[in-house]
Amino acid sequence: LRNALLIRFKSVWVFMKISVSQSFLRWLFVIHSYFFFVHANVYVRTPDNNTKSYLSQEADFGPTFPLEGLQGYLYLSKPLNGCSPIPPVKPSGFGNNSIYNQFLLVQRGDCYFDVKVKNAQNAGYNAVIVYNVDSNTLHEMSSSGVPGIQIPSTFVGAFTGQHLKNNLAPTRYVSCLR
């Protein structure tokens, strides 16, 4: 590893043969982790109209969240892992359902990330937030090859996921910004 550097450029991993010290590689990894692994922030409006912000990692598949963000209402997946078909989105009760985005909160595990997102998309959701289990580490969500994913998704840590899940309400409003 001392004479080679693995760099990710536009979802392609490239080896570069260089001569660098291990301390430089550690420094580069810290910088890379800060700037390239955390792509989106999840904002949640609390019942008292305050906003909480959480770091997240966007998926390597499907579209990214728009620069101006995507706002909508958060619902808990049934089944929780999102690995089998999910019941269709129900009207939110806030008037014309077509003007409100529907986010689905899904637990990590038991199947590939893109399977979870495709199931949510098939049920009519506009975005997916997958949360980690037993770790606050953010992971890169990669594709297993499921075609046709047209909604954005992001990954959050266990603390964030539990906070979202425990404070879930039909009127919980969330935003995802890059």
Side-chain angles (χ1 to χ4, degrees):
L1 186 62
R2 189 177 180 107
N3 293 328
L5 181 62
L6 183 64
I7 296 178
R8 185 169 155 220
F9 179 72
K10 294 194 178 198
S11 297
V12 176
W13 290 96
V14 179
F15 267 132
M16 291 181 64
K17 196 134 173 110
I18 59 171
S19 179
V20 295
S21 70
Q22 286 186 351
S23 61
F24 174 76
L25 290 177
R26 277 197 237 44
W27 175 82
L28 186 62
F29 178 76
V30 169
I31 297 299
H32 179 268
S33 297
Y34 182 77
F35 288 105
F36 296 104
F37 283 124
V38 180
H39 292 281
N41 282 323
V42 176
Y43 296 91
V44 179
R45 187 181 306 154
T46 60
D48 56 358
N49 264 348
N50 289 321
T51 302
K52 289 190 74 94
S53 173
Y54 303 98
L55 294 177
S56 71
Q57 164 66 44
E58 280 190 88
D60 274 352
F61 55 86
T64 59
F65 286 95
L67 290 176
E68 68 275 7
L70 187 65
Q71 297 79 36
Y73 293 93
L74 184 63
Y75 297 88
L76 187 61
S77 178
K78 292 179 185 173
L80 193 57
N81 65 12
C83 293
S84 57
I86 297 166
V89 172
K90 294 181 181 173
S92 62
F94 301 105
N96 181 357
N97 196 36
S98 65
I99 64 171
Y100 295 102
N101 290 307
Q102 312 288 330
F103 285 70
L104 188 65
L105 182 63
V106 181
Q107 180 179 295
R108 180 185 186 193
D110 301 324
C111 65
Y112 293 105
F113 293 117
D114 54 351
V115 171
K116 298 170 186 293
V117 175
K118 184 70 172 197
N119 285 336
Q121 177 180 301
N122 290 343
Y125 289 90
N126 306 99
V128 176
I129 299 173
V130 178
Y131 68 93
N132 207 348
V133 181
D134 300 327
S135 172
N136 287 316
T137 303
L138 299 181
H139 292 281
E140 194 169 7
M141 295 194 308
S142 56
S143 174
S144 67
V146 174
I149 293 178
Q150 300 172 358
I151 63 172
S153 57
T154 195
F155 188 86
V156 298
F159 173 80
T160 301
Q162 284 302 319
H163 184 264
L164 292 172
K165 186 177 164 186
N166 294 339
N167 293 294
L168 203 60
T171 58
R172 181 70 65 228
Y173 194 74
V174 298
S175 300
C176 285
L177 304 174
R178 289 194 310 139

